[in-house]
Amino acid sequence: MSNRLADSSEESLNLVRRRILAITWVVTSIHGLFGAIGAAYALGPDRRGDQIILLTVSVPLAFIIFGVTRVILDKPVFSWPSLPFLLILLIPTVAACFWLL
């Protein structure tokens, strides 16, 4: 009986660890996404090519953030229920395209 309780407690602890790691990863890496967008804004309109490159880099960055988060949480990387979260990660890039270009 105590072994089952210990196994259940260990599984619960691992789940909490994964969630905390995922939250820490997302919060830290989102700064990189916003940094790429902010750098594109800081370059100014006279360097339009560089702005486009930075905005283009922000799309794979959003995909990497999404994929690593799903792997940390031990979930399938792409599934229909996870699609809204991917779209949420792409919103800053889409907004930046309208804002900068």
Side-chain angles (χ1 to χ4, degrees):
M1 183 75 172
S2 65
N3 286 340
R4 182 183 299 170
L5 183 61
D7 291 341
S8 176
S9 296
E10 189 68 30
E11 288 176 23
S12 298
L13 182 61
N14 284 335
L15 180 64
V16 170
R17 285 178 182 159
R18 285 181 177 274
R19 287 181 179 171
I20 290 173
L21 180 62
I23 290 169
T24 305
W25 160 254
V26 167
V27 169
T28 304
S29 57
I30 286 290
H31 283 85
L33 179 65
F34 287 140
I37 293 170
Y41 176 76
L43 287 176
D46 55 332
R47 297 183 62 186
R48 184 68 65 197
D50 293 335
Q51 285 182 328
I52 292 171
I53 290 171
L54 281 170
L55 291 178
T56 305
V57 165
S58 69
V59 173
L61 188 59
F63 280 117
I64 291 169
I65 293 168
F66 175 78
V68 170
T69 304
R70 297 295 289 179
V71 168
I72 289 171
L73 292 173
D74 198 24
K75 305 275 183 177
V77 176
F78 291 108
S79 62
W80 287 109
S82 68
L83 186 62
F85 297 108
L86 179 60
L87 295 176
I88 288 171
L89 273 172
L90 290 174
I91 286 174
T93 300
V94 172
C97 287
F98 288 114
W99 182 42
L100 295 174
L101 304 176

